[in-house]
Amino acid sequence: MRTLRHPGVLRYMGGAETSDAIYIATERIVPLDLNDRNEELVRWGLFRIAEALRFVNEDCKLVHANVCKDAVFVTDAGEWRLGGLELMDAVGAERPVYREMGSVIPGYAGRMAPEIKVQGVQGTAALDGWGLAELISECYTTEMPLGLGALHAQLRNNNPKLRMTAHGFVEAAQRSGGILDTAFVRACRFLESVAVKDSHERAEFFAGLGAAAAEFPRMFAQRKMLPELLTLVEFGGADNGHSAVLASVVQIARDMDETEYSTVVAPAVVRLFASTDRALRFALLEHATALLHGMHDDVVVASVYPAFATGFGDAAPAIREATVKAALSMAPRVGSKTLNSDLIKHLVRAVADAEPGIRTNSLICIGKLCAKNGPGVTDTSLRYIVCPALLHALRDVFPPVRAAALAVSGACAMRWDAVDVARRVVPAISPLLVDGERP
């Protein structure tokens, strides 16, 4: 067990031996319970067990000899693991353990392959094909899905030379229309082999994953697929499809409770915002509202905002503009102190950006933050930080900037000081009455 390393085999973590017992520590698992089942997880579980048996039979040259429900365990994500290795022995062993000691396993005589009863017949991979059929029978006690019955019959052939092996089952079940040819199983298999896929295949897969993920088993998606997607984004496996992958992350993580989100997603988001990859930064800013939703405010202020704020001074106009737009999502999370002492100043500087589109969007953002129901721009900040920028923008050469500045001035009208309105705002707005640009 210590040397068997495969995603479908129960992972050995450590062990100890005393005078009267042997203790084995494994990954966190529970026995397989088929009463509370999800059909997609059962199909993926059968794939996992069959692949594990293929590895055991072909790569390790071993025979498990005890495949059944009691030999299968389930992780907290819903993944099946092959355990119950008590009777495992080498392929072709002359005196195999399963023939000598099988009687000590409860119920073994009733489910063992017929050739085990024949002395001198050596065990092969076909023996575990019989066991796989036993597991399938336990999973489907009444009616089997379309196409599975024929495969089950081939696995249950009394002649080991004609019996289907676990490897054969996997190949047949994955064919078009087979029991393993489902969107969920295909997605799981793709994620496991994503490193060897080309950029076109990855782009096509991730483009459709977000919508498909809504139909996947919730716990499996959150505890298995979500960490893999975050790792993929963090270490560059998404190519230029960061936005599509993050859209899938958002879709899967949206129903997570605060504790799980803080444990699984938040640390990855913090690391991602610190990245210098512009394509990744742009995708993060596009999904900022959803990604920040489940994070604690103190984590956002201390770990995300400093990296976020660097986007205002980025050399790429697209990053600067995306940062300005994302400021509306960031403002409610950073608190009044950071909003008034830092964030609003960055937005005001953006009003003087070389790109007219950025100037326009920064004014729109300022207007929403300074409105009467905004998230906390103080009267002091409005008077001494925002007002000078608005007055300057009213004379901008780009008409949409002047229009935006005028709209912001109107939105903030109720908050202006009467003296400022008379001496500063009205004189700046008056020339627009004869502005040559038509609205």
Side-chain angles (χ1 to χ4, degrees):
M1 185 177 186
R2 181 185 303 168
T3 57
L4 289 177
R5 296 293 181 182
H6 185 272
V9 176
L10 184 60
R11 188 182 310 153
Y12 173 89
M13 308 298 290
E17 185 174 353
T18 65
S19 58
D20 58 353
I22 297 176
Y23 298 93
I24 298 176
T26 70
E27 60 185 312
R28 185 185 293 272
I29 42 87
V30 295
L32 175 62
D33 181 7
L34 292 171
N35 293 319
D36 182 19
R37 58 186 284 165
N38 177 283
E39 177 60 24
E40 290 290 0
L41 288 181
V42 169
R43 296 186 184 211
W44 175 244
L46 290 174
F47 171 82
R48 269 288 194 225
I49 299 302
E51 277 287 280
L53 289 172
R54 183 208 58 76
F55 167 75
V56 168
N57 297 155
E58 299 179 4
D59 297 344
C60 303
K61 305 302 180 184
L62 297 170
V63 177
H64 185 281
N66 188 30
V67 182
C68 62
K69 182 176 77 70
D70 293 338
V72 178
F73 300 88
V74 185
T75 68
D76 59 357
E79 284 230 89
W80 290 15
R81 297 282 191 265
L82 179 64
L85 310 181
E86 298 87 354
L87 302 182
M88 181 175 283
D89 209 337
V91 170
E94 293 185 2
R95 297 185 61 186
V97 175
Y98 48 84
R99 183 170 290 147
E100 301 292 327
M101 302 296 295
S103 60
V104 304
I105 305 294
Y108 188 68
R111 62 172 181 267
M112 66 182 181
E115 61 265 30
I116 296 179
K117 304 174 185 178
V118 182
Q119 293 293 334
V121 177
Q122 295 182 334
T124 65
L127 195 153
D128 285 336
W130 182 278
L132 183 58
E134 175 67 23
L135 177 60
I136 292 173
S137 297
E138 293 175 305
C139 291
Y140 298 97
T141 56
T142 54
E143 184 179 355
M144 293 187 183
L146 184 65
L148 182 57
L151 298 180
H152 179 266
Q154 294 179 62
L155 290 167
R156 203 75 175 191
N157 195 312
N158 286 322
N159 186 343
K161 294 182 179 180
L162 301 178
R163 187 183 304 150
M164 176 180 280
T165 63
H167 190 172
F169 171 80
V170 171
E171 289 189 339
Q174 289 182 108
R175 292 172 186 156
S176 180
I179 185 177
L180 299 181
D181 184 35
T182 68
F184 175 68
V185 174
R186 288 195 300 270
C188 292
R189 289 178 53 229
F190 190 98
L191 284 175
E192 295 209 326
S193 59
V194 68
V196 298
K197 303 294 185 181
D198 62 40
S199 57
H200 176 73
E201 289 176 311
R202 285 197 287 262
E204 185 178 1
F205 172 75
F206 290 126
L209 181 59
E215 305 299 324
F216 293 166
R218 177 174 172 270
M219 198 61 67
F220 185 92
Q222 292 179 353
R223 295 184 179 179
K224 171 64 178 176
M225 302 180 80
L226 183 59
E228 291 185 358
L229 290 172
L230 289 170
T231 300
L232 199 64
V233 175
E234 187 173 357
F235 294 102
D239 295 326
N240 293 321
H242 297 103
S243 184
V245 178
L246 287 176
S248 301
V249 168
V250 169
Q251 173 67 39
I252 294 171
R254 65 179 182 176
D255 295 327
M256 294 181 77
D257 61 55
E258 189 173 295
T259 302
E260 276 197 304
Y261 194 94
S262 299
T263 303
V264 178
V265 181
V269 172
V270 170
R271 294 192 298 270
L272 292 175
F273 264 101
S275 172
T276 56
D277 184 334
R278 284 198 172 103
L280 174 56
R281 291 291 300 274
F282 187 82
L284 286 168
L285 293 169
E286 278 189 315
H287 298 283
T289 302
L291 291 173
L292 298 178
H293 177 70
M295 299 178 66
H296 294 294
D297 288 350
D298 54 349
V299 175
V300 175
V301 174
S303 303
V304 176
Y305 178 75
F308 166 84
T310 63
F312 287 106
D314 197 279
I319 298 296
R320 296 201 304 274
E321 185 166 13
T323 304
V324 167
K325 292 178 179 178
L328 285 174
S329 302
M330 186 64 69
R333 311 304 309 278
V334 298
S336 179
K337 181 179 179 181
T338 302
L339 172 60
N340 288 280
S341 65
D342 194 75
L343 180 56
I344 196 67
K345 293 180 180 178
H346 282 299
L347 289 170
V348 164
R349 293 190 193 101
V351 174
D353 194 275
E355 297 292 327
I358 296 177
R359 299 200 299 271
T360 304
N361 284 319
S362 62
L363 285 166
I364 294 172
C365 184
I366 288 172
K368 292 182 178 180
L369 294 179
C370 293
K372 188 175 181 181
N373 58 347
V377 175
T378 63
D379 290 339
T380 300
S381 295
L382 180 64
R383 183 175 187 182
Y384 295 105
I385 299 176
V386 175
C387 186
L390 285 178
L391 299 180
H392 180 270
L394 288 169
R395 301 190 298 272
D396 196 285
V397 296
F398 190 56
V401 173
R402 298 199 300 273
L406 187 61
V408 174
S409 299
C412 299
M414 299 300 295
R415 298 186 62 186
W416 292 120
D417 179 80
V419 175
D420 284 337
V421 170
R423 295 180 177 178
R424 304 169 68 190
V425 180
V426 171
I429 291 176
S430 297
L432 298 181
L433 292 171
V434 291
D435 192 294
E437 187 69 26
R438 297 182 63 182

